[in-house]
Amino acid sequence: GCVVIRRGTETIPASQGMHLLLHDILLTSGDGRVGAILQDGPGIGLGPNTELKIDRFVYEPADGKFGLLLRLAKGVLVYFSGRIAQFSPDAVTVETPVGVVGLRGTQFAISLGGT
């Protein structure tokens, strides 16, 4: 299926090995699915009709600075924790239109209806 990255005013087709940047928005079509691995090792998976923004990512273990903020507007997100969650579990947050999810384990899944 179709997966694109909205980067500023550009829309870029996603491809294997592509690097994601801060503030990128991942969008999947009705038959699209994608998986990604972030720098500190967590895996994220997106199902069909999903919109997810990488709003904050800080991984500076030498300075003790950690943070991950994902904003899920709609769709399905599966998250498997990485080193940020090991060093600072409360530094991982997913915001949705209906609430905020804080990491309290090693994995979770969220499913939101379209808006």
Side-chain angles (χ1 to χ4, degrees):
C2 181
V3 179
V4 297
I5 309 297
R6 190 177 319 137
R7 184 171 288 160
T9 59
E10 290 185 84
T11 300
I12 307 162
S15 60
Q16 185 172 346
M18 181 177 202
H19 288 257
L20 298 173
L21 303 177
L22 193 61
H23 306 299
D24 276 356
I25 300 172
L26 290 80
L27 301 158
T28 62
S29 65
D31 62 349
R33 290 174 175 75
V34 69
I37 299 173
L38 300 178
Q39 182 183 4
D40 73 310
I44 58 174
L46 305 181
N49 294 316
T50 297
E51 180 177 332
L52 178 76
K53 181 177 183 183
I54 302 169
D55 211 31
R56 190 174 109 223
F57 183 83
V58 178
Y59 181 65
E60 299 173 9
D63 297 327
K65 296 180 182 177
F66 306 99
L68 176 61
L69 173 58
L70 303 174
R71 294 183 193 273
L72 182 66
K74 65 178 183 173
V76 175
L77 166 68
V78 177
Y79 175 87
F80 297 93
S81 66
R83 287 183 287 284
I84 288 176
Q86 291 172 353
F87 294 126
S88 182
D90 59 344
V92 178
T93 304
V94 176
E95 291 185 358
T96 75
V98 296
V100 177
V101 176
L103 184 65
R104 298 296 178 261
T106 58
Q107 60 190 9
F108 61 83
I110 301 171
S111 179
L112 294 174
T115 55

